[in-house]
Amino acid sequence: MAAVFKHPNSPYYICQFRNELGKRITRSTKRRKLSEARKVAETWEEVARLAGQSELTRTASEKFINGLLQSLGRETIKRISIKEALDGFLKSRRDLGMKDGTIKAYTPIFTSLKEFLGTGRCDGSVESLDKNELKQWQRSLVASGLVATTVNKYIKVIGAALKDADVHPNPAHSLQLLDASTANKQPFTDDEIRRLLKATDSKEWRGMIMLGAWTGIRLSDAASLTWGQIDLDEGRLAYIPAKRSRKLHRNLEVALHSEAVKFLRNADQGIGKAPVFPTLNGRRSGSGGANAGGLSNEFGRLIDRAGIENQLLRKGKGRGRDVWEKGFHSLRHTMISRMTHAEVSKDVRKAIAGHSTDSAHERYTHLSFDKQKTTISRLPSLAS
């Protein structure tokens, strides 16, 4: 226990306590009153004890320091609230040049967490936000109908905000992410793509399907394309995927197949910022609930007209969207799987798809049974 005594040659009380290594040290409390000196000594000893047991967190440190300051009639250290941390993250990213579209996508994530926690809880210290609270929020997101990949994105964004607020340990980083493979998205067959092309009278939708199948471009990126991003002479498409705009910061260049180039040459061409697909440009891609007029729903109706079997994987609840086995994103699965069947190397496939990791790429690789059978048949017999 800390000892406090008066030194004859000092106006202040002196204390002795054991530091984090167990060594007894002597230090001036810089206090003239015995009661204040004891409080200082007890705080130092407790902080040293926790540090020695590797239990001295930022929250614990602030608790002891603020308790000490309060007992001495001093102003305590201001703690950042959960609301301040989340709002501050968005403001700092906006100041650093994050695109408005990304800010707009992140805002409902923070709104969702704040609504789940409630106003009173959001006024609490961001350091007090724990793993259990985030886990309960994660479960509520799943219950609302959000798919695993979306829920995982929510958790990762919150994790980034807590990291920015210097929260240690970060509860979002210790939270187990959901298994995104359960979505079980499937590629279209070549015949199904032909049926899709025949099922629509819209040249623009045929162009969207063509680009999706040959480049793997996502729905919102395809609908937003301008003629300035396409070089038909070089057979090149250059664009920044909205999903990776923060990481990429440069154009993803994709070589266009001659079939896609031929189709685009026969389209009503524009220049510069003129949209490639004018009637689809600017429309929302979502398919959930009130957004029944979204591009995803329109493409879903096209799948029905083409007579393509499509299984409902998950029924959306509330504002959540229905998840189907096949949608426009399946064209991306199709493109990558076709390259796999053609024995295109993984590095080339990843470059064309814009994938930065093997794990992300593997979710889009569907090796057909016929391809497996052909490959196995090439292996020499073991018995002979």
Side-chain angles (χ1 to χ4, degrees):
M1 180 159 178
V4 179
F5 56 91
K6 192 72 176 289
H7 195 282
N9 298 326
S10 173
Y12 304 120
Y13 278 93
I14 308 299
C15 76
Q16 284 187 344
F17 64 95
R18 295 188 183 278
N19 65 8
E20 67 277 9
L21 300 176
K23 181 180 178 181
R24 197 157 187 86
I25 61 174
T26 302
R27 181 178 297 171
S28 173
T29 64
K30 299 295 182 181
R31 291 289 173 270
R32 297 175 185 268
K33 293 182 178 181
L34 179 60
S35 59
E36 293 182 357
R38 283 176 175 168
K39 184 65 177 178
V40 170
E42 290 169 0
T43 299
W44 282 347
E45 187 171 63
E46 182 62 13
V47 169
R49 183 187 69 79
L50 290 175
Q53 297 176 356
S54 300
E55 296 178 0
L56 186 60
T57 63
R58 177 174 172 176
T59 301
S61 301
E62 287 185 355
K63 178 181 177 181
F64 282 116
I65 293 172
N66 280 335
L68 176 59
L69 291 173
Q70 192 173 27
S71 69
L72 299 176
R74 303 291 181 85
E75 184 179 354
T76 59
I77 299 173
K78 187 179 184 301
R79 295 182 297 171
I80 301 175
S81 70
I82 296 172
K83 182 180 184 303
E84 289 172 331
L86 300 183
D87 294 345
F89 177 80
L90 281 180
K91 183 180 183 304
S92 68
R93 288 304 182 270
R94 185 181 286 107
D95 293 342
L96 291 172
M98 178 182 279
K99 291 190 174 182
D100 290 340
T102 307
I103 294 291
K104 187 176 180 181
Y106 280 10
T107 300
I109 297 176
F110 295 137
T111 300
S112 172
L113 179 57
K114 286 187 288 188
E115 289 179 349
F116 175 80
L117 294 173
T119 304
R121 182 68 185 92
C122 285
D123 290 335
S125 168
V126 68
E127 287 282 351
S128 67
L129 185 63
D130 61 31
K131 177 181 175 181
N132 186 53
E133 287 178 304
L134 290 183
K135 191 171 184 179
Q136 291 176 7
W137 177 56
Q138 182 187 49
R139 289 173 178 169
S140 74
L141 294 174
V142 173
S144 72
L146 294 182
V147 296
T149 51
T150 301
V151 174
N152 289 343
K153 175 186 175 181
Y154 275 39
I155 298 299
K156 290 177 182 178
V157 170
I158 294 299
L162 296 180
K163 180 181 179 182
D164 203 56
D166 198 27
V167 176
H168 298 291
N170 191 324
H173 290 172
S174 61
L175 194 64
Q176 184 175 355
L177 297 178
L178 303 180
D179 182 6
S181 64
T182 55
N184 200 29
K185 281 286 186 181
Q186 293 298 312
F188 291 109
T189 65
D190 290 359
D191 177 65
E192 286 174 338
I193 291 178
R194 296 187 190 100
R195 287 156 63 184
L196 284 171
L197 292 169
K198 291 179 180 179
T200 179
D201 295 329
S202 168
K203 289 184 178 180
E204 293 188 21
W205 268 115
R206 283 202 289 269
M208 293 270 286
I209 295 167
M210 194 73 73
L211 284 179
W214 281 119
T215 70
I217 191 171
R218 296 177 176 85
L219 179 58
S220 60
D221 290 328
S224 301
L225 285 178
T226 63
W227 284 104
Q229 295 171 296
I230 297 175
D231 187 334
L232 294 178
D233 293 330
E234 290 288 337
R236 179 193 294 119
L237 169 64
Y239 70 104
I240 298 179
K243 188 175 181 180
R244 297 190 61 212
S245 59
R246 282 184 61 206
K247 297 179 180 179
L248 204 59
H249 293 302
R250 60 179 176 80
N251 279 332
L252 172 64
E253 294 191 347
V254 182
L256 293 172
H257 188 273
S258 58
E259 185 177 41
V261 171
K262 180 180 179 181
F263 182 91
L264 291 170
R265 285 193 183 281
N266 293 329
D268 297 328
Q269 296 183 36
I271 58 174
K273 294 183 179 181
V276 178
F277 308 111
T279 66
L280 306 180
N281 184 269
R283 289 177 54 186
R284 293 183 295 178
S285 60
S287 62
N291 192 23
L295 294 175
S296 291
N297 267 357
E298 189 169 330
F299 187 75
R301 290 190 288 272
L302 179 57
I303 292 176
D304 291 340
R305 287 202 300 272
I308 297 172
E309 186 177 347
N310 198 13
Q311 180 182 351
L312 178 63
L313 300 176
R314 180 182 294 174
K315 182 69 177 175
K317 299 178 182 178
R319 291 181 297 175
R321 63 185 179 88
D322 294 345
V323 180
W324 294 87
E325 186 179 56
K326 293 179 179 177
F328 192 90
H329 204 69
S330 293
L331 293 170
R332 185 169 175 81
H333 288 252
T334 301
M335 183 269 294
I336 295 171
S337 296
R338 291 185 81 210
M339 288 193 294
T340 302
H341 293 157
E343 299 183 355
V344 176
S345 70
K346 181 185 288 186
D347 288 342
V348 174
R349 299 196 313 261
K350 284 172 61 181
I352 293 174
H355 283 150
S356 57
T357 65
D358 287 347
S359 59
H361 187 72
E362 286 167 3
R363 290 200 298 269
Y364 291 84
T365 305
H366 305 262
L367 194 61
S368 70
F369 178 75
D370 288 341
K371 180 62 178 179
Q372 294 179 48
K373 190 174 181 179
T374 300
T375 302
I376 289 296
S377 68
R378 296 173 183 170
L379 301 178
S381 172
L382 293 174
S384 59

